[in-house]
């Protein structure tokens, strides 16, 4: 089915992000990795659905996002696309799909846009990838930036730690967002950044900021769905608020099912033909 038939009339576009920033209307983003959750979060009214490469850790229990592949991202994004009608769909470009050179970045990002029906891609990095971002924007591919804690650089950063705490690193981060804005990003994710720094960057810049562990001063927020639902219950960083305890629900429900099958209570007459 074509993208236009899947998208609803009031579908979110990248231009809305800028208008919402101007109107001080917060932007709500969340991850999804499949059609079912894509549909549910879209029906819940989020503005942006991100097919994050966090799926490599959340769904596949890999130690980092580094081993996620382009084919894996395309597979999941195609599924999410089938569930999402209103929200803007953004796909994470996996490690080494855009860093080698500009031609490869254009080809790989173009492939994601062609094969998934997404409206934008997300790339990690600041000034160092600004020229790649510019080239993508010039050929019509909207780009969401991502700075601060960039999980694909976890080994260079020495772990999953807050970025921009020292003056030099705060200056670099500020310059990175400016470079991404100039290159044409329609929004920038700020991950694990002190709240005061994120708020200052947000106030200085035209480009909308989407925070995760970056305090309330950003133009929007993003969380990993499985974390927010309490499904990924082994993960409990300070910034995360759990809005449900679904891991407990799953264990309880499946435990009851197992008990009833073993005890002969299921299936009963009501659930048999
Ligand atoms: O991969 C991901 O899910 C992300 C978000 C946490 C921003 O990049």
């Amino acid at each position: 089915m074509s993208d236009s038939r899947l998208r609803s009339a009031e579908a979110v576009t990248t231009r809305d992000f800028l208008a919402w920033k101007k109107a001080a209307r917060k932007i709500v983003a969340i991850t999804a990795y499949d059609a079912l959750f894509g549909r549910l979060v879209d029906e819940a009214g989020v503005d942006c659905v991100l097919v994050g490469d966090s799926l490599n850790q959340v769904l596949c229990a890999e130690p980092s996002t580094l081993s996620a592949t382009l084919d894996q991202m395309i597979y999941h994004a195609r599924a999410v696309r089938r569930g999402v009608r209103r929200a803007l769909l953004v796909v994470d470009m996996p490690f080494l799909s855009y860093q080698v050179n500009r031609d490869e970045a254009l080809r790989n990002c173009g492939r994601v846009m062609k094969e998934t029906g997404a409206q934008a891609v997300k790339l990690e990095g600041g000034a160092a990838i600004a020229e790649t971002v510019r080239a993508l924007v010039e050929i019509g591919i909207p780009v969401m930036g991502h700075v601060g804690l960039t999980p694909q650089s976890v080994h260079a950063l020495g772990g999953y730690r807050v970025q921009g705490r020292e003056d030099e690193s705060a200056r670099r981060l500020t310059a990175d967002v400016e470079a991404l804005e100039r290159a044409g990003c329609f929004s920038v994710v700020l991950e694990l950044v002190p709240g005061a720094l994120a708020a200052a960057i947000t106030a200085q810049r035209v480009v909308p900021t989407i925070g995760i562990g970056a305090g309330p001063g950003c133009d929007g927020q993003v969380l990993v769905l499985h974390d927010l639902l309490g499904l990924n219950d082994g993960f409990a960083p300070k910034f995360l608020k759990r809005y449900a305890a679904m891991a407990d629900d799953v264990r309880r429900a499946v435990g009851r099912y197992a008990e009833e099958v073993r005890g002969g209570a299921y299936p009963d007459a009501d659930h048999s033909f």
Side-chain angles (χ1 to χ4, degrees):
M1 194 181 285
S2 78
D3 183 44
S4 59
R5 283 182 60 200
L6 274 170
R7 304 269 290 156
S8 70
E10 73 282 11
V12 176
T13 73
T14 54
R15 292 169 65 104
D16 291 323
F17 276 47
L18 207 59
W20 288 335
K21 172 163 184 146
K22 282 192 189 136
R25 178 236 192 249
K26 295 278 186 183
I27 300 162
V28 181
I30 199 159
T31 62
Y33 309 137
D34 59 32
L36 175 61
F37 275 127
R39 177 172 63 77
L40 293 177
V41 299
D42 195 56
E43 288 170 358
V46 300
D47 303 312
C48 175
V49 176
L50 169 69
V51 184
D53 58 357
S54 53
L55 64 83
N56 203 44
Q57 292 172 285
V58 177
L59 298 187
C60 308
E62 289 286 340
S64 74
T65 58
L66 288 168
S67 57
T69 67
L70 191 58
D71 285 341
Q72 193 182 356
M73 297 308 300
I74 289 172
Y75 172 85
H76 285 276
R78 284 174 66 96
V80 176
R81 164 78 290 157
R82 288 182 213 115
V84 174
R85 292 176 55 84
R86 175 190 167 272
L88 188 85
L89 183 63
V90 182
V91 180
D92 249 350
M93 294 304 295
F95 180 59
L96 232 52
S97 67
Y98 58 94
Q99 295 96 334
V100 176
N101 61 50
R102 210 175 307 170
D103 287 351
E104 254 191 56
L106 295 186
R107 196 166 295 113
N108 288 333
C109 293
R111 209 185 133 201
V112 165
M113 299 295 286
K114 278 170 78 109
E115 295 182 25
T116 71
Q119 282 83 45
V121 293
K122 176 163 81 58
L123 270 54
E124 293 183 11
I129 62 152
E131 285 316 307
T132 299
V133 170
R134 192 183 307 281
L136 287 164
V137 173
E138 271 171 9
I139 64 162
I141 299 182
V143 179
M144 176 182 276
H146 184 160
V147 298
L149 184 278
T150 44
Q152 293 174 14
S153 309
V154 61
H155 301 305
L157 298 173
Y160 296 95
R161 55 181 69 216
V162 175
Q163 302 295 307
R165 276 202 159 125
E166 299 79 29
D167 288 353
E168 176 46 32
S169 128
R171 264 194 297 277
R172 209 170 35 242
L173 225 152
T174 306
D176 279 340
V177 177
E178 182 176 356
L180 292 174
E181 178 179 294
R182 284 182 194 279
C185 278
F186 74 93
S187 59
V188 178
V189 169
L190 304 181
E191 180 165 354
L192 290 196
V193 174
L197 176 62
I201 292 172
T202 301
Q204 280 162 22
R205 305 266 42 111
V206 171
V207 67
T209 60
I210 313 291
I212 173 164
C218 296
D219 297 306
Q221 298 291 325
V222 60
L223 279 178
V224 169
L225 175 67
H226 293 62
D227 298 343
L228 167 163
L229 293 179
L231 266 172
N232 187 21
D233 62 347
F235 183 64
K238 183 172 190 280
F239 68 80
L240 174 63
K241 181 167 177 183
R242 291 204 181 121
Y243 289 83
M246 287 183 64
D248 291 338
D249 290 343
V250 170
R251 281 187 286 260
R252 204 172 305 119
V254 176
R256 272 193 60 201
Y257 162 67
E259 226 175 78
E260 292 194 0
V261 168
R262 290 184 186 124
Y266 179 83
D268 56 11
D270 286 349
H271 298 93
S272 301
F273 300 101

